[in-house]
Amino acid sequence: ERGGAGQALHVATHLGNLVKVSETVIVRQAAGEGLISIIDMMPLEQRNEIAVELGKGLEIGDYQFSKYIPNYLGVIMLHLPPRELDELICDLEKFLEAANGQVAAAVLHTFGVVMENYCIYRGLFGSEETEEVTETRKYKLVNLIVRGFANYRTTISQEAFWTFGMHIFGSSKLSLEEKYRI
C-alpha cells in the first residue's frame, strides 16, 4: 500500500502467479484475496494486465490449478473500464469453443462470478455507461452461460447448470428481484 502503483503491479503479478500455480490451496486463496484487496490501488491499464494474465491462466487446462482462478478473475474483471471489460469477455468467449472442456467450464464459472458481483461494477463505472449498455452486457453474459446448457460435452453442460444455480439463483449477493430479472 505504501509502495505506490509500481510496487502494486509487482505484488499483483506475484499474487496472480500464486493463484495460477501454487500447489497449496490456502496459498492460492490468500493470494486471490490479496489480489482483490490491492486491485483498486492500481492504474486501470495495470488492472487490465493482471486480468488478462489470470484469463490466460484458465488455459492451463489442469482443473486442479484452473478451478480457483474464476473466483478472483470474475471480481477483478469488474474493476476494468467498460472497453477493457468487453474485450476480456470477448477473449474469454473464444475459450468456450476450446477443445478442453475444463477450460470452457472455468470460463463459464468466471462469467457466473461476474454476474453475481456485478454491483461492484455499478459502483465503479456505472456513471460511465448507460443502463442499456449495462443490461446488454449482462444479457450477453447470461446468454453465454445458458448456451453452455446445450453443449454436447457433459462437463460444460454441467458447469453451466452449476454456475447458474450457484452464482445466480443460489447467490446471497443478488436480490430476489435481480434473480428474477436475470
Side-chain angles (χ1 to χ4, degrees):
E1 289 178 354
R2 287 175 268 167
Q7 188 71 17
L9 177 61
H10 179 74
V11 171
T13 301
H14 178 66
L15 292 173
N17 286 332
L18 286 172
V19 169
K20 291 191 298 187
V21 298
S22 177
E23 296 283 333
T24 310
V25 173
I26 294 170
V27 170
R28 285 171 181 259
Q29 292 171 335
E33 294 300 322
L35 193 53
I36 289 170
S37 74
I38 65 170
I39 199 72
D40 283 328
M41 295 177 210
M42 301 172 68
L44 297 176
E45 64 277 355
Q46 290 178 357
R47 295 178 193 181
N48 190 47
E49 189 176 324
I50 296 300
V52 168
E53 281 304 310
L54 282 177
K56 288 178 183 176
L58 296 175
E59 289 182 279
I60 294 170
D62 184 350
Y63 189 66
Q64 174 187 345
F65 292 101
S66 63
K67 70 180 177 181
Y68 296 98
I69 296 171
N71 293 325
Y72 308 111
L73 175 58
V75 173
I76 288 169
M77 286 173 66
L78 295 169
H79 291 265
L80 299 176
R83 191 171 129 242
E84 282 80 6
L85 175 60
D86 290 335
E87 285 176 6
L88 189 53
I89 290 170
C90 286
D91 289 346
L92 292 177
E93 181 180 357
K94 294 172 189 167
F95 292 155
L96 292 176
E97 305 304 323
N100 185 332
Q102 292 180 345
V103 173
V107 170
L108 290 172
H109 184 172
T110 301
F111 290 158
V113 172
V114 171
M115 287 298 299
E116 182 176 21
N117 293 283
Y118 207 86
C119 62
I120 293 170
Y121 199 73
R122 284 191 195 124
L124 293 172
F125 300 103
S127 63
E128 294 183 25
E129 60 186 20
T130 66
E131 186 66 28
E132 182 181 338
V133 170
T134 299
E135 290 303 314
T136 300
R137 182 181 301 114
K138 288 170 67 176
Y139 181 78
K140 178 179 183 171
L141 289 166
V142 169
N143 228 348
L144 290 169
I145 296 168
V146 170
R147 204 166 74 189
F149 290 176
N151 197 290
Y152 66 93
R153 290 179 278 182
T154 306
T155 14
I156 296 172
S157 181
Q158 288 174 343
E159 185 69 26
F161 276 104
W162 182 86
T163 296
F164 225 80
M166 294 299 293
H167 292 290
I168 308 296
F169 296 122
S171 173
S172 61
K173 296 176 183 178
L174 296 172
S175 69
L176 285 176
E177 181 181 313
E178 289 171 308
K179 292 175 188 182
Y180 177 76
R181 284 186 30 221
I182 291 170

